[in-house]
């Protein structure tokens, strides 16, 4: 029973397209996150939502828009994809007081 | 602001030998410290965490880490490694901002 699940696992698309990545957690956590891992394996936080409210919004192009319909879901929509957007995107969740994050298995996005 | 430094990008070691992966952090406030492991083409799995209390923390797969406040370090150790321990290891810090900030990772390469 997967705790944090992301779909799709792989995504290959052309420059200029719009795509979405979905994330769901069944842990009952109240906070969800999106991280980007680049080709050098560096992990950087992009967004965080707490109970559907945006609480962390790092310096990310506004082509990236997160949406949280409820506290168990956090989706990432990307407009006008560029080559530099190619990366692995990880969703994570946490609960107040737990301090650690639980990560999904990642979505490998390749823009051609 | 918090930051994490992993000085070693790669650590080669022979099977059954001991290993230490180094991690140093900087923060002006109390922090929580974590080690995560990422196996090839997989997500991040929590190895262990330091929140408070005993400075020696034991985790999964025989790993342990020691929190040293005076040296602002949180080094990861294992007395005897296996081939299956080959993976990328990330040190992370979480402080007042509630953001989990990662180091650049250390590739543990276990050789037979």
């Amino acid at each position: 029973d997967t705790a944090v699940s992301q779909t799709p696992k792989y995504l290959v698309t052309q420059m200029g397209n719009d795509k979405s990545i979905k994330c769901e957690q069944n842990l009952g956590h109240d906070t969800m996150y999106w991280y980007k891992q680049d080709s050098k394996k560096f992990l950087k936080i992009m967004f965080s939502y707490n109970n559907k409210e945006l609480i962390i919004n790092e310096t990310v192009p506004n082509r990236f828009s997160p949406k949280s319909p409820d506290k168990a879901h956090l989706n990432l929509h990307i407009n006008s994809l560029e080559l530099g957007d190619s990366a692995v995107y990880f969703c994570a969740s946490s609960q107040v007081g737990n301090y650690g994050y639980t990560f999904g298995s990642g979505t490998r996005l390749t823009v051609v | 602001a918090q930051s994490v430094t992993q000085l070693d990008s790669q650590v080669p070691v022979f099977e059954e030998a001991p290993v230490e992966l180094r991690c140093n952090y900087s923060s002006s406030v109390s922090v929580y410290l974590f080690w995560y492991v990422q196996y090839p083409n997989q997500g991040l799995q929590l190895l262990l965490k330091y929140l408070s209390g005993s400075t020696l923390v034991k985790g999964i797969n025989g790993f342990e880490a020691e929190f040293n406040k005076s040296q602002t370090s949180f080094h990861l150790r294992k007395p005897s490694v296996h081939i299956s321990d080959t993976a990328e290891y990330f040190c992370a810090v979480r402080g007042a901002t509630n953001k989990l900030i990662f180091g650049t990772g250390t590739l543990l390469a276990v050789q037979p």
Side-chain angles (χ1 to χ4, degrees), chain B residues 32-102:
Chain B
Y32 307 112
L33 295 157
F34 306 83
W35 275 98
Y36 282 83
V37 60
Q38 185 178 27
Y39 297 103
N41 297 314
Q42 292 190 27
L44 289 97
Q45 181 181 6
L46 181 65
L47 269 180
L48 48 80
K49 60 187 175 186
Y50 172 79
L51 305 180
S52 65
S54 173
T55 57
L56 183 62
V57 180
K58 294 192 183 297
I60 62 171
N61 301 341
F63 284 93
E64 64 181 32
E66 185 152 22
F67 171 61
N68 188 319
K69 188 174 181 179
S70 62
Q71 297 186 7
T72 60
S73 67
F74 190 55
H75 301 332
L76 181 70
R77 301 187 187 100
K78 186 169 183 178
S80 175
V81 295
H82 302 119
I83 294 284
S84 59
D85 291 323
T86 294
E88 195 84 28
Y89 291 79
F90 292 94
C91 183
V93 61
R94 184 174 180 180
T97 61
N98 282 327
K99 286 191 290 189
L100 194 61
I101 308 297
F102 285 89

Side-chain angles (χ1 to χ4, degrees), chain A residues 13 16-17 19 25 32-34 36 39-40 42 52-54 66-67 72-73 93 96-97:
Chain A
T13 187
N17 284 350
K19 290 294 179 185
Q25 54 96 3
M32 296 184 72
Y33 311 83
W34 279 111
K36 179 180 180 181
S39 59
K40 295 183 179 179
F42 184 62
K52 301 193 295 178
E53 182 182 346
L54 182 66
K67 283 188 172 52
H73 296 83
S93 70
V96 171

Side-chain angles (χ1 to χ4, degrees), chain A residues 1-15:
Chain A
D1 198 21
T2 306
V4 180
S5 60
Q6 298 178 227
T7 54
K9 190 171 176 64
Y10 299 96
L11 184 53
V12 181
T13 187
Q14 291 187 328
M15 282 175 50

Side-chain angles (χ1 to χ4, degrees), chain A residues 35 37 56 58 98-99 101, chain B residues 36 38 94 98-100:
Chain A
Y35 275 79
Q37 186 175 45
I56 294 175
E58 294 294 288
N98 191 354
Y99 308 110
Y101 292 14
Chain B
Y36 282 83
Q38 185 178 27
R94 184 174 180 180
N98 282 327
K99 286 191 290 189
L100 194 61

